[in-house]
Amino acid sequence: MPDPRFYSAAGNRFAVLDAFEHEPADPAALARELCARHGLDGLLLGARPQAVGDCRMLVYNKDGSRAEACGNGLRALARWAVESQHAQGELVVETDSGPRRVSCLWRGREIVGAKAELGVPRLLERESVIALGERAVRATLVDLGNPHCILFVPEVGRAEVATLGAALERHPRFPQRINVSFVEVAGGRLLVRTWERGVGETAACGTGVSASAVAALAHGKVRAPVEVGTRGGRLRVDWDGAGVLTLAGPVEALRVA
């Protein structure tokens, strides 16, 4: 089996493994090993397509669990697929949430980013009250092929990401666990930190950023397209309120120890 390649998509760090010919016997264990060794957020398998795509993406989180969708991972996989000659600069990636169209962004002959379609978001609950012991928090629940809990906060830098994020991830209301994003509205754009299901806080979460934009648009806090700042970089979300949402941002090759 070939060695993995490594990519960062707005600070979201992945190993990408070519599984066109052979998939690893225990990808969950491999994900845990690679993430622990190299400080990564997940393992992406680029596999042979089964239907309409140029390739198929399987996502394994840092703890070995499977994720149905991964916005930054999708963009990283697109760069890998083109560099590995499995696809051209415009491609369709099969995911557990359905086929996703991705366009690579170039600077000369180098891929420096990607714009990905993440499907049609579902606003599950605009105003949800979630009890945590004697405390309750107000959240917006969004589905982007994977589940998201969005909390608006006055200062994202002071948000209780590690404690509140972890508690909400495993709240009894969410038996499959949930991603939790903390969102500050600042000058018409968003600042977002995300506690990812099966990973913990990451420098950026593509679907978390996108779900945050959906929630902010639903509450009338911003207008599309939405510029989003994360600890790992800037992302751009565009959604008309009804159709397919797109996410654009940087993708870089990583050198790991």
Side-chain angles (χ1 to χ4, degrees):
M1 182 168 294
D3 292 333
R5 298 184 186 182
F6 302 92
Y7 296 90
S8 171
N12 221 174
R13 296 160 58 91
F14 302 99
V16 184
L17 185 64
D18 192 325
F20 262 64
E21 299 303 327
H22 301 286
E23 295 186 16
D26 191 347
L30 182 60
R32 291 191 293 268
E33 176 190 343
L34 288 172
C35 290
R37 185 192 309 167
H38 300 298
L40 307 174
D41 300 315
L43 168 66
L44 310 175
L45 300 185
R48 191 175 299 279
Q50 296 179 328
V52 298
D54 294 280
C55 63
R56 182 165 57 103
M57 179 178 75
L58 292 84
V59 184
Y60 290 86
N61 292 321
K62 183 178 180 178
D63 68 353
S65 60
R66 278 288 301 275
E68 308 92 338
C70 183
N72 284 332
L74 181 60
R75 297 185 308 102
L77 188 94
R79 174 169 173 166
W80 166 85
V82 173
E83 292 179 340
S84 301
Q85 299 183 342
H86 290 305
Q88 303 299 316
E90 307 281 334
L91 63 154
V92 174
V93 180
E94 296 174 5
T95 76
D96 289 352
S97 299
R100 299 289 185 255
R101 189 173 300 278
V102 190
S103 302
C104 290
L105 306 175
W106 301 77
R107 183 182 296 130
R109 296 185 178 181
E110 180 186 6
I111 298 172
V112 295
K115 180 178 180 180
E117 296 182 353
L118 300 189
V120 179
R122 290 193 299 144
L123 183 63
L124 301 179
E125 293 187 39
R126 189 176 182 276
E127 294 277 0
S128 179
V129 178
I130 303 170
L132 288 165
E134 298 180 355
R135 179 184 184 182
V137 296
R138 293 186 176 276
T140 301
L141 305 183
V142 177
D143 186 284
L144 258 171
N146 58 349
H148 292 272
C149 176
I150 311 301
L151 285 73
F152 291 101
V153 297
E155 294 182 59
V156 74
R158 298 168 64 89
E160 303 169 67
V161 178
T163 53
L164 188 53
L168 287 168
E169 177 196 0
R170 297 180 178 275
H171 192 278
R173 183 169 174 185
F174 311 114
Q176 303 302 315
R177 298 191 288 171
I178 200 165
N179 301 287
V180 186
S181 290
F182 299 79
V183 184
E184 176 185 345
V185 182
R189 69 188 187 107
L190 304 180
L191 303 175
V192 177
R193 292 171 63 186
T194 300
W195 179 271
E196 285 198 54
R197 176 183 59 166
V199 184
E201 184 177 4
T202 57
C205 171
T207 55
V209 159
S210 300
S212 298
V214 169
L217 288 165
H219 286 275
K221 296 179 180 292
V222 293
R223 294 182 178 180
V226 186
E227 299 292 335
V228 184
T230 71
R231 290 186 164 184
R234 292 188 177 185
L235 294 160
R236 181 184 177 96
V237 180
D238 203 0
W239 186 50
D240 65 4
V244 172
L245 177 146
T246 62
L247 171 72
V251 179
E252 301 173 305
L254 268 183
R255 292 184 179 180
V256 301

